[in-house]
């Protein structure tokens, strides 16, 4: 397994080194990942569990909600 991963790493490393735009492409990729995972999370995905827990620990809130939703309705 390790030689395969190492060979893949060397393939990409050498490929980007020989490219003239390699560093700029990596910068664009990293910027895009930063925007997707940090900026979008902050503005578009609020922490619903923390806001709705009402003073309970988050794990207690989740377990209570799961139990209540799985209970059969009479």
């Amino acid at each position: 397994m390790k030689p395969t991963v190492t060979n893949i790493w060397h393939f990409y490393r050498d490929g980007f080194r020989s490219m003239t735009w390699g560093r700029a492409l990596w910068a664009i990729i990293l910027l895009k990942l930063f925007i997707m995972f940090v900026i979008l999370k902050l503005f578009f995905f609020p922490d619903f569990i923390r806001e709705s827990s009402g003073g309970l620990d988050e794990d207690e809130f989740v377990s209570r909600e799961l139990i209540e939703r799985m209970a059969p309705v009479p």
Side-chain angles (χ1 to χ4, degrees), residues 4-61:
T4 304
V5 174
T6 306
N7 288 339
I8 292 171
W9 167 253
H10 289 296
F11 174 76
Y12 279 104
R13 183 192 63 192
D14 295 340
F16 277 105
R17 277 187 184 167
S18 65
M19 292 175 60
T20 56
W21 289 90
R23 290 180 191 233
L25 288 175
W26 274 112
I28 292 170
I29 290 168
L30 293 175
L31 179 66
K32 189 175 183 180
L33 288 172
F34 176 78
I35 290 170
M36 286 185 347
F37 290 110
V38 175
I39 303 297
L40 292 178
K41 168 121 175 59
L42 288 175
F43 292 111
F44 294 108
F45 301 107
D47 193 0
F48 178 76
I49 294 175
R50 186 177 298 155
E51 294 171 0
S52 301
S53 65
L56 294 174
D57 288 335
E58 294 174 5
D59 54 349
E60 291 176 12
F61 173 73

